[in-house]
Amino acid sequence: MANNNPTISGVSYQNPWSPGLSDQTPSGVTISCDFSDCPVTSNYVLVARLMQGEKVLVMPECSVLNPGQLTLMLPYPLADGFSSYVQCQFVQLSGSYNPSTIIASVSWTDASIINIPVLASILELSEGVIEISGTTLNATFSWANQFPLTAYVQIYAPGLQSATFVSCFNHSTTLSYNYSTPTSPPPPWTVVLRPLIPLNPPPPTPWPPNAILSPSTPSILGSGITYTLPDQSPSITSVNYDGSMVSAAWTPPAVPDGAEPVSYELLLTCTSNGVTTSTYPATSSGGTAPLPMPGSLAETYTVSARVNYGVIKGPSSSAVPVITGSVDNIVQSTDTSTGIATLTWNDISGFNTSNANYSGYTETFNLTFGSGTPITGNSGTSYSLTTQLTANAVNTVSVSVTATSGTVTTTGPCSPWRRLGTSQPILLSAEYDGTNISLSWQAMEGSVCGYTATLFVNGTASTSAFSAPAGSTSLNFSPATTISSSDTLTVTLQATMKGDAGPGLPTNPMPVSFTPAFFLAATGQTTTAPLIYTAPTLAALNQTQPASITLFLPSGNYVAAGKTLSQPVLSPTTSAIFTLAANPATNSNSTLYPYTLAINSTAWNTNTIRASVQTAYTDFLTAAETAGVTPWGISVIQEAIARHMPQTFAETLYYNYGLNLAQGYADLRPGMVLRVMPSNYMVVPGYDNNPSEKAVSNTDGYTNSAPIDYDIGSYTDSSGWMVGFDAFLSRLMGGAITVAPPAAMAGDAQGVAEAADLYYPAFQQPFYRVFFPTTLSATSTVSTLPASQINLAAAANYTALQNTSISAATNTYFCGRAIIKLCIRVIINGNEAVVPIGTTVTNILERAGRVPPKSGVTLTGLKLERAIGQTDSFGNASCQAGRAYKVHFDYQPLPVYGTGQSALDLPLLHGDILTFAA
């Protein structure tokens, strides 16, 4: 036998106890042969054994004829650090093939024996990174160099038995392969890493060479380690950022067998100011990463995930943007009709489709309530609740932003909690007086910023809102639209509390009742004199033609014993302006208000001298008295007419106080003040015995002294209803003291010194009249004739009162040259004042220098409340003790009349409350 041309092309070692390799490399030591230079009929066999030092580890084996390779099976893995090698010899057969004979023929000491080292060392990957870009898989592997070893890397595509390989003399390499996303879980990609040294390096070539070895280079390969490559990434389903931590949830990819150990990572990438990525361990379902709140929305981040098989990192999933901002300025508005709240806000989340991170994403908003079902997926920066919030229950809201692309969502942090407006005031009253709507409500607890009222006209909200400051419990405002008698008015009230997102719940709509009031005739409505009239209803205010007035008179001793009002009492004139009758109602109203007083439309006529009305008035009262109406009943009727009948300004003094300038008298009625100005006679010292010699005799005479006020009021004694001059005296004279009448001389009337003197029996009556002389006495002398004095007449009934005169001897007066002034008590800016009757609003404003122009200006800030007495137009079962009607100076521009008077020339009546802004 002789050696010929076959050569050894490589020796590889594969640990038989390691997992099988993808390239089906046999376990053990495999010697590869190259017979390319030998004839086909050369009949060579290869005989080889494995040695470790001088020890035979594997007994010689013989190959087949012209073998491609021969594998020596190992009883155990080769130990790294020991010198292992194979001894080989090619044997050319000359006879038959007999392995044992062939092996026996080999001399292991022969010079033809080929000794080739076996690499027992291994190379382990320190890191692998798989990236997939489109249809390309890029794989980067790193390992620790073990010079003079280099690496032999084999990549196995799924389902392929042959390998693409590369040998590399550095500590890393990057390989690229065609890649398509599998539609079903295929066999995995794998990589095998083996140590390598050339079998026969060319002598001039340095080791390791600078170029990659070709696959045909004879090499010695160590045992390879197979790694499974992760070519799939987790599918992120959601990303959430709470202001400090980013959390992501995903669906993991299928993991093939042999891919252990499997781990997951979350990658947080800052995409602004240079791209930087931080990696955080995660689980198969998701992971978290710390992220402090960025200082600016320009600082942007994305999240991705990957699965790792051991040291090989899989491709990153598609990046999902992190929404780091939220919303601010959450504002609540509450529909004043439905009570449904609408929330609006400003989007400061940083979401912007022009940013590549958000390409393909759609923005929505989520609302979380402290109490209530959360809302997700709301489009736009506003949301209207579907039901009312619970009144006066604490509730809050927070808003976050979500961006969605397909099945992926990313949600930013929640905004700071904002307290919702749930406060609901308790509205007590709502009234309209023809000019202003007046509301009152119960004071609320807590820090109230203010109140807002909304007016509804026939169910439609007014475009104007009306506000009241914190601490208010009432509000007056003028409607922004014209109100007609057919309109239905309702109003709601909302409160805004400090710290709330907006106004709270509106009250239930409250009907606005018309507030009866006094109104002044408009400019041009009358050519004779200004007129004041009552409007108990909105229809009465808006009427275009004069209408009748019906008043309900309260129960009392109206009719004398044995008398009834079975028939109405009419004023004995053609027009029958006044009618007194029994209340026709059959309900409880007729018990409380058994009588009615009707005043027909004739009382509106001011284009003529109203002597006819005055005559009808006196005739009516006389007729009523004849029908059995008592003095108290006459007093009530007088008050009803005086307070409710349309009157010219001058007539108000006649009907309220009986002031008749033409006849020179006025009546004393309850509520008036009788002011007596006593006059003392003053004598200047001098020649008393001979006045003609006095140098200063002209200075003697009567002079004034301190006034005395007597409050006229009613009382009842055994004789019935009376009018007195002092409440205490009226009580006292009821039987405790008897007053003697003043002595009288022929044609004269004896005067009295004080009000107590007026309580002599013949002068205690229900009616009094004050007469004024046509000429006032000189200050030097005083006549005792009644016609020369301001004197008082008393009458037992209205008819007798009408028959009194200034010259009656039964009259009396205050002694001396006493001056009587008739006054009333009014309240001005909260202070009570006694003013003479006839004092006008202008007179009061003159005191303060605040008389406005009389040119038809719109006047505000002036308020006059006027009592309406015991009667009204409704006959309600209850009423306020201090009920009064407002006199409207603000219903229209300040009227100016053809007489030169203005609305402010209205005389005051007793009990008037006048307020004007300082």
Side-chain angles (χ1 to χ4, degrees), residues 488-528:
T488 299
L489 304 182
T490 55
V491 69
T492 62
L493 182 70
Q494 293 171 278
T496 301
M497 308 299 288
K498 184 177 181 181
D500 283 359
L505 292 172
T507 59
N508 292 328
M510 174 175 280
V512 179
S513 60
F514 177 76
T515 304
F518 290 99
F519 292 87
L520 305 172
T523 301
Q525 183 173 332
T526 173
T527 58
T528 303

Side-chain angles (χ1 to χ4, degrees), residues 346-674:
N346 295 334
D347 182 2
I348 57 169
S349 65
F351 179 90
N352 190 340
T353 54
S354 64
N355 185 323
N357 291 342
Y358 292 104
S359 177
Y361 280 84
T362 301
E363 182 184 34
T364 57
F365 298 88
N366 317 300
L367 293 86
T368 303
F369 298 94
S371 175
T373 304
I375 303 300
T376 59
N378 181 72
S379 60
T381 56
S382 67
Y383 174 75
S384 294
L385 278 67
T386 56
T387 59
Q388 282 190 10
L389 294 167
T390 302
N392 302 312
V394 176
N395 204 345
T396 52
V397 67
S398 178
V399 181
S400 61
V401 175
T402 292
T404 304
S405 177
T407 59
V408 180
T409 62
T410 176
T411 301
C414 293
S415 67
W417 287 98
R418 191 84 157 95
R419 191 176 68 193
L420 296 174
T422 61
S423 59
Q424 187 178 47
I426 298 177
L427 194 57
L428 301 177
S429 66
E431 298 180 343
Y432 176 53
D433 61 11
T435 300
N436 293 320
I437 291 178
S438 301
L439 308 181
S440 66
W441 57 87
Q442 185 174 304
M444 297 188 66
E445 297 181 356
S447 300
V448 181
C449 294
Y451 298 90
T452 302
T454 302
L455 175 66
F456 295 84
V457 180
N458 301 320
T460 302
S462 171
T463 56
S464 300
F466 308 96
S467 301
S472 301
T473 56
S474 62
L475 172 64
N476 293 319
F477 62 88
S478 177
T481 184
T482 302
I483 305 300
S484 67
S485 57
S486 61
D487 289 333
T488 299
L489 304 182
T490 55
V491 69
T492 62
L493 182 70
Q494 293 171 278
T496 301
M497 308 299 288
K498 184 177 181 181
D500 283 359
L505 292 172
T507 59
N508 292 328
M510 174 175 280
V512 179
S513 60
F514 177 76
T515 304
F518 290 99
F519 292 87
L520 305 172
T523 301
Q525 183 173 332
T526 173
T527 58
T528 303
L531 183 80
I532 182 171
Y533 62 95
T534 58
T537 64
L538 184 60
L541 172 63
N542 292 326
Q543 65 192 17
T544 57
Q545 297 295 327
S548 299
I549 300 171
T550 298
L551 302 172
F552 292 91
L553 305 184
S555 60
N557 295 325
Y558 282 92
V559 182
K563 297 285 188 175
T564 63
L565 293 181
S566 57
Q567 296 295 323
V569 177
L570 306 177
S571 52
T573 61
T574 304
S575 61
I577 297 176
F578 305 99
T579 303
L580 177 66
N583 190 344
T586 58
N587 51 30
S588 59
N589 179 276
S590 61
T591 302
L592 297 173
Y593 299 91
Y595 306 104
T596 61
L597 172 64
I599 306 173
N600 72 16
S601 59
T602 306
W604 285 85
N605 185 4
T606 61
N607 292 325
T608 61
I609 303 224
R610 292 166 57 97
S612 59
V613 178
Q614 181 177 335
T615 300
Y617 169 78
T618 55
D619 290 347
F620 168 68
L621 293 180
T622 302
E625 193 170 67
T626 302
V629 176
T630 63
W632 181 75
I634 295 296
S635 174
V636 172
I637 295 173
Q638 283 182 311
E639 180 187 62
I641 294 174
R643 295 286 173 161
H644 294 273
M645 184 182 74
Q647 302 163 54
T648 64
F649 286 5
E651 285 177 331
T652 61
L653 300 179
Y654 172 76
Y655 290 107
N656 281 275
Y657 309 118
L659 179 62
N660 189 325
L661 298 180
Q663 299 296 324
Y665 65 79
D667 293 342
L668 291 180
R669 298 179 185 176
M672 297 175 66
V673 175
L674 177 64

Side-chain angles (χ1 to χ4, degrees), residues 735-906:
I737 296 178
T738 300
V739 178
M745 295 177 292
D748 294 347
Q750 180 63 41
V752 297
E754 213 273 341
D757 297 323
L758 298 174
Y759 284 87
Y760 57 92
F763 214 73
Q764 286 184 267
Q765 302 294 344
F767 297 97
Y768 292 97
R769 180 161 288 175
V770 179
F771 287 98
F772 301 93
T774 56
T775 302
L776 196 62
S777 299
T779 59
S780 58
T781 59
V782 173
S783 171
T784 59
L785 295 176
S788 300
Q789 293 282 0
I790 301 176
N791 62 67
L792 284 72
N797 52 61
Y798 181 76
T799 302
L801 182 67
Q802 294 302 98
N803 293 325
T804 59
S805 68
I806 190 172
S807 60
T810 55
N811 295 2
T812 190
Y813 60 94
F814 286 90
C815 292
R817 191 178 179 274
I819 302 299
I820 288 179
K821 296 181 181 179
L822 301 183
C823 300
I824 54 175
R825 295 186 185 275
V826 297
I827 297 176
I828 302 172
N829 287 335
N831 301 306
E832 186 181 75
V834 177
V835 299
I837 65 169
T839 300
T840 66
V841 174
T842 294
N843 296 149
I844 300 301
L845 294 176
E846 285 172 339
R847 296 182 183 181
R850 300 182 184 276
V851 179
K854 298 183 178 181
S855 58
V857 298
T858 299
L859 182 64
T860 60
L862 180 66
K863 180 180 180 181
L864 176 60
E865 295 181 18
R866 175 160 290 179
I868 62 171
Q870 304 174 58
T871 60
D872 63 23
S873 299
F874 307 102
N876 295 322
S878 63
C879 66
Q880 292 183 341
R883 62 181 180 171
Y885 288 176
K886 180 181 178 182
V887 178
H888 278 290
F889 297 102
D890 51 2
Y891 178 62
Q892 56 199 352
L894 197 63
V896 177
Y897 305 103
T899 58
Q901 293 177 296
S902 81
L904 299 182
D905 292 317
L906 176 69

